[in-house]
Each structure stands twice: as C-alpha cells, then as structure tokens.
Amino acid sequence: MIRQNLSAAILVSLLCCHTVFAADYHIGPGQPLSRIADVPWNDLQAGDHVFIHWQSTPYREKWIVSGLGTAAQPIVVSGVPGPTGQLPVIDGRDAQTPRNISYWNESRGVLKIGGDLNPNEVPPTYIVIENLDIRSGRPPYGFADDHGSDQNYASNAAALYVEVAQHLTIRNCILRDSGNGLFIGVNGGRTQDILIEGNRIYDNGIEGSIYQHNTYTSALGIIYQNNYLGPLRDGAEGNNLKDRSAGLVVRYNWIESGNRQLDLVDGEDSAAVVDHADYGKTFVRCQPWRAKRRLVDPSSREAALFSRRALRQRENKVGIRTRRPVIGSQVRSSNELAKLLRSAW
C-alpha cells in the first residue's frame, strides 16, 4: 500500500511539473507591452490570448501566427476596441517585422497564418483572429522584413494571408486596401475547417487587374456567414468572393460590386480538393427580399449595423447547389443574383 501511494504521488508530481498555463498578453497604451513585436509569437501555447488595444495611431507591424491551440483552448488574437468602437488598426505601410520571427513569403501579407522557420508537424490549429482592422498590403507599399531589409508587397498580397491552417475563425475584422483582402491557400488539402464570420471586407484589388479580389479562398470546409463584402478599389477589376473549396457554405452575407459577386470556380489548386467527398457540394443562401439598388459606405454605421444584425440572424435552411464554373456576372443587386442563381441550375 505504501509503495502504491508513493507511486501515485510521484505520478501527480510529474503531471504537475508538465502543466502549461495559458497566458494573456496585453499590447497598447498603458498596457504591459507597447509593441506587437513584444509578444513571443513563436512560443504561443494553447489557451494563450493576445489583446491588441486600440490606440489613436496605427500599429505599423506585421507578423505571423503559427501556434497550436485546441478546441477547448484556442489561441486567440483579439483587438480591443476604442471608446467609440474603433477597431485597432494594423497598417502594412512601412510596417516592421519582429526580428525574433523568421518566416517565408513575407511579401504576401500583413498578418500571416502559417509556417515559420520553427516548423510544427501539423499546421496552425484552433486559431481565432478577431476585432482587427488590417489594411494596406499591396504595391507600392513596402515594409521592413525580419532582417531589417526593405521589401515591397507583391501584387497578390493580402491583408490577412492564410498559408495553411485548421479550425481557423476570422471574426469581426475589417480587411481592406490590399491586393486581396483575404487569401486562403488549400496547401495540398491541409487547410481545413475555416469560419469567416461578421467581417467587413472591401476596398481591395489592383487597378486594371482581374487577378486580385476581396477574398480568394480554397480549403476543405469553409463557411462565409454574416459578412459585408463591399466594392473593390477604384479601377480594380477583380471579383468580390472567389472560392475554389470543397464544402463551401455562403449564407447571410451582403455582397455588392465586383466583376463577379460570386466566382465559385473549379478546385484547380490541389487534387485533395477535387477528390474530396464534399467537392461539388456548394451551399448558397440568398435573401432577395433584402435587395437594395444602392451602395452602402463600407466604413459607415449602416455597414457595421448590418454585420451585427446578420450575426443575430439564424435560419435552419440553406440552398443546395451544384458547383458551376462561374456564378454571377455583372450582378448589381442581391435580387439579380438570386434570379441568376435560379436560372443557373
């Protein structure tokens, strides 16, 4: 009996020694950390929560999130709004990359979710990005890389660049003034289970180019819901929502403007997409009774109210559609989009 009790005590002691406690990191005026670079991004653990507090000037920093959360303890990066609800601004223009972070494809985004030079065996997992205004990842803007050298953004850079991730939530963010507002790569089928919810994505694209969009995504399982997707930048000829995923759901969104409002094209990026059981199952929910033949100012209170109102709306039914090469062309209102969808199948 004594030996058994001693063994149990040793086991409990060993377990306690290996317990990892989640940490909170607060950045901003009057907070323990003054810069985003002060967070140990390479060492974030499950349950860690980074709070980026609003300040009157933008944070001109860019970085990568590559940690491993869990379903019960995700890694969360949250903006803390200002006194009138302003989201903290992450500005890619002249942004600085922390010297203690090493990763590739820096020219592809302001905030990257993906791999770094301290590789994990699995992709970044159970990550939440919320309440941030991320902007200005495009030419002719530049930044300082992790070696302090000046670089320029690529034309297909994104405000939020997801190289690879699983169980990722992007919620209540503003993504604007970039080549792509949001880019998500399928990465050979490793990018899975993405939720894009309650965001405002607008004012993206490159003048005279059809290749950059408000969103350009590919994953195994992706949901767009309760978002406002507004006009692209003046002169940009790209699409609004472009997707190549298996298992796509688009519901309860306000989508206006763009060469095509919805461009749901073939999954050419990876055989993992076209071979997936959910490829060809695309769910699009339209609400034609909400049609309005006018533009909504993306930065207006109306757009913000729409996002919040849509978050409260829940319906049990979504339309089931077979994937087609292209849906929508020069659609001017949600009513016209609904008519086009009905005629497409």
Side-chain angles (χ1 to χ4, degrees):
M1 179 65 69
I2 293 175
R3 181 176 298 173
Q4 289 178 344
N5 290 339
L6 181 60
S7 299
I10 293 172
L11 177 60
V12 170
S13 177
L14 289 172
L15 289 174
C16 291
C17 291
H18 285 83
T19 299
V20 177
F21 295 97
D24 290 347
Y25 300 92
H26 288 268
I27 307 158
Q31 303 301 321
L33 306 178
S34 61
R35 301 180 306 152
I36 293 172
D38 295 332
V39 174
W41 294 103
N42 285 337
D43 300 317
L44 292 184
Q45 305 292 323
D48 286 353
H49 198 152
V50 179
F51 297 88
I52 302 175
H53 291 255
W54 177 84
Q55 60 183 20
S56 58
T57 58
Y59 292 91
R60 296 190 184 276
E61 301 184 64
K62 63 193 303 293
W63 73 101
I64 179 174
V65 178
S66 59
L68 305 179
T70 67
Q73 291 189 302
I75 294 173
V76 182
V77 180
S78 298
V80 180
T84 60
Q86 317 98 304
L87 299 185
V89 174
I90 311 299
D91 196 325
R93 285 174 289 189
D94 303 318
Q96 304 290 313
T97 307
R99 297 293 184 91
N100 60 344
I101 297 179
S102 295
Y103 65 98
W104 50 89
N105 282 347
E106 290 187 49
S107 64
R108 289 292 307 277
V110 180
L111 172 56
K112 173 184 169 181
I113 314 296
D116 60 23
L117 297 184
N118 295 304
N120 295 308
E121 294 182 1
V122 296
T125 304
Y126 289 105
I127 307 290
V128 177
I129 307 295
E130 61 183 8
N131 305 334
L132 293 173
D133 181 342
I134 310 173
R135 61 176 75 169
S136 302
R138 63 173 177 86
Y141 304 143
F143 62 93
D145 65 17
D146 54 7
H147 299 293
S149 301
D150 291 337
Q151 289 196 37
N152 291 323
Y153 289 101
S155 60
N156 61 347
L160 180 51
Y161 168 50
V162 182
E163 176 190 60
V164 60
Q166 294 179 2
H167 314 297
L168 168 66
T169 297
I170 304 165
R171 180 168 55 218
N172 195 38
C173 289
I174 299 174
L175 307 176
R176 55 173 159 168
D177 191 32
S178 298
N180 297 295
L182 172 64
F183 181 91
I184 299 178
V186 71
N187 207 285
R190 297 199 304 156
T191 297
Q192 303 173 14
D193 187 23
I194 309 296
L195 174 61
I196 304 164
E197 179 178 49
N199 303 282
R200 282 178 280 167
I201 306 174
Y202 61 92
D203 195 31
N204 298 291
I206 300 295
E207 301 92 327
S209 174
I210 64 172
Y211 297 109
Q212 293 81 30
H213 320 284
N214 267 337
T215 72
Y216 192 179
T217 54
S218 183
L220 303 184
I222 183 169
I223 298 174
Y224 284 86
Q225 65 183 24
N226 311 318
N227 301 285
Y228 170 82
L229 283 81
L232 278 70
R233 295 179 60 241
D234 289 345
E237 299 177 359
N239 302 315
N240 209 314
L241 189 163
K242 182 167 184 173
D243 183 83
R244 298 181 181 275
S245 298
L248 168 69
V249 175
V250 180
R251 60 190 181 190
Y252 321 128
N253 301 282
W254 183 297
I255 305 174
E256 61 176 283
S257 190
N259 186 2
R260 297 183 178 92
Q261 289 183 324
L262 293 180
D263 193 13
L264 311 184
V265 286
D266 295 335
E268 65 180 16
D269 304 306
S270 171
V273 173
V274 296
D275 293 340
H276 194 273
D278 289 336
Y279 186 65
K281 299 177 182 178
T282 297
F283 298 77
V284 177
R285 172 68 174 176
C286 294
Q287 294 176 294
W289 56 89
R290 287 189 173 273
K292 293 185 178 181
R293 289 182 177 273
R294 61 187 177 84
L295 296 180
V296 177
D297 181 355
S299 61
S300 69
R301 182 173 180 270
E302 182 178 9
L305 286 173
F306 170 76
S307 295
R308 289 196 292 270
R309 188 183 304 119
L311 280 168
R312 294 193 296 268
Q313 292 177 349
R314 290 294 185 269
E315 296 185 31
N316 296 322
K317 184 178 180 182
V318 294
I320 302 175
R321 306 298 186 191
T322 303
R323 174 172 292 270
R324 300 298 293 262
V326 174
I327 300 177
S329 179
Q330 302 295 333
V331 181
R332 300 302 182 186
S333 72
S334 56
N335 189 42
E336 292 177 38
L337 175 59
K339 290 179 180 177
L340 189 67
L341 285 169
R342 286 195 294 269
S343 65
W345 293 280

